[in-house]
Amino acid sequence: MPVGPGDDCAIVMCGTEKLLITVDQLLEGVHFTLAELGPKNVGRKAMARNLSDVASMAALPLGAVASVALPKGFKRDDAETLYLAMKNTGELFHCPIVGGDVSVWPEKLAISITVFARPAGIKPSLRSGAKAGDALCVTGHLGGAWRSQRHIKFTPRINEARILASRHELHAMIDISDGLASDLSHLCDSSGVGAEVVAADVPLHNDAKNIPDITPLQAALSDGEDYELLFALPENHAEQLIREQPLTVQVTRIGTFTAEKGLVLVKPDGAREALPPSGWEHKT
Ligand SMILES: [Mg+2]
């Protein structure tokens, strides 16, 4: 099953084996402010974002190649710190950097990492298999990741995804990078279904509380950069999963996939309102 653009990883056939490939850019001034994060956090995040895409397919990383454009005058020590952070983060998940390219240019820091991965005995979970009636579940707690800097410290859910996919019939999965509403709408569009989200069931992160001008629920629905897993599975599998809680991180059911397209938010008083897929806008 070759998979082209539009999922978290592409899948190509390598002989009879499936090979998963994902590439991601991290650009200074667009995705991060170097003075704020420093080279270590930037390097860590650049690798971890890619690994989160591998996690969303329930695959195991094989290795990475990295391409970095350093700004003119970038310190040698900082370049080393950047590289080591990428390398060490990859190695935590058995994903060595096996090659790459470094240039110096007159613009800001730009990083592109490509990660290769393999199914290793578990069927890759695509965005496209959710069915009406499936339970909608999420790992962890959501919201406030940018403001609290949790977006630089997150753990790619590779191990968790492997456990989920090996024990349960996952129909579809995505990682939350743009925001719960936005990524759910990507998953629904790929699957040709809609979803209803029960507002009271969305697991709110402590970081989502006390943010000016936005409620914790709004933060959880729209902030993004949580890098948690959002997935679809049959109701009876979800019931067992929620009961057993086999992961080191909490799994919560937050809603149900529907035949009717579009996202609906079910409020605590039972009122239903359209949930716009208003996702993340980069704030730098
Ligand atoms: Mg993704």
Side-chain angles (χ1 to χ4, degrees), residues 8 53 56 127 174-175 177:
D8 291 278
D53 280 329
S56 74
R127 293 181 178 184
I174 191 170
D175 64 319
S177 51

Side-chain angles (χ1 to χ4, degrees), residues 143-151 207-212 214 223 280 283:
W146 184 269
R147 171 174 280 263
S148 67
Q149 302 245 313
R150 200 169 83 248
H151 68 104
D207 297 341
K209 294 166 189 169
N210 306 315
I211 301 178
I214 183 169
D223 271 0
W280 174 251
K283 292 189 174 69

Side-chain angles (χ1 to χ4, degrees), residues 83-134:
Y83 170 71
L84 281 177
M86 291 193 287
K87 177 176 175 284
N88 293 340
T89 304
E91 284 176 356
L92 282 177
F93 295 91
H94 309 287
C95 183
I97 295 178
V98 295
D101 194 21
V102 183
S103 310
V104 174
W105 72 331
E107 305 297 330
K108 294 178 174 179
L109 177 61
I111 303 168
S112 171
I113 300 182
T114 300
V115 170
F116 301 91
R118 65 196 171 104
I122 292 177
K123 190 173 154 222
S125 44
L126 309 183
R127 293 181 178 184
S128 57
K131 295 178 172 61
D134 279 353

Side-chain angles (χ1 to χ4, degrees), residues 91-266:
E91 284 176 356
L92 282 177
F93 295 91
H94 309 287
C95 183
I97 295 178
V98 295
D101 194 21
V102 183
S103 310
V104 174
W105 72 331
E107 305 297 330
K108 294 178 174 179
L109 177 61
I111 303 168
S112 171
I113 300 182
T114 300
V115 170
F116 301 91
R118 65 196 171 104
I122 292 177
K123 190 173 154 222
S125 44
L126 309 183
R127 293 181 178 184
S128 57
K131 295 178 172 61
D134 279 353
L136 165 61
C137 294
V138 69
T139 59
H141 292 79
L142 308 177
W146 184 269
R147 171 174 280 263
S148 67
Q149 302 245 313
R150 200 169 83 248
H151 68 104
I152 53 177
K153 295 177 273 189
F154 68 93
T155 302
R157 299 296 186 200
I158 288 181
N159 299 333
E160 290 79 5
R162 299 286 291 175
I163 293 170
L164 289 173
S166 63
R167 293 187 183 198
H168 296 288
E169 193 186 313
L170 293 193
H171 285 167
M173 188 151 69
I174 191 170
D175 64 319
I176 302 178
S177 51
D178 296 343
L180 170 57
S182 177
D183 288 311
L184 176 57
S185 113
H186 296 324
L187 195 148
C188 284
D189 288 349
S190 296
S191 294
V193 294
E196 53 179 46
V197 174
V198 179
D201 292 342
V202 175
L204 306 174
H205 201 285
N206 280 335
D207 297 341
K209 294 166 189 169
N210 306 315
I211 301 178
D213 305 324
I214 183 169
T215 67
L217 178 65
Q218 285 168 336
L221 290 170
S222 64
D223 271 0
E225 303 259 347
D226 301 293
Y227 299 102
E228 294 292 353
L229 300 169
L230 184 68
F231 53 98
L233 75 176
E235 274 205 314
N236 57 334
H237 282 257
E239 281 163 17
Q240 188 194 351
L241 173 63
I242 301 298
R243 202 170 50 240
E244 293 178 355
Q245 293 290 337
L247 309 183
T248 52
V249 63
Q250 181 181 308
V251 179
T252 310
R253 178 172 182 180
I254 60 168
T256 305
F257 289 91
T258 58
E260 197 175 326
K261 304 265 175 73
L263 306 185
V264 170
L265 186 66
V266 183

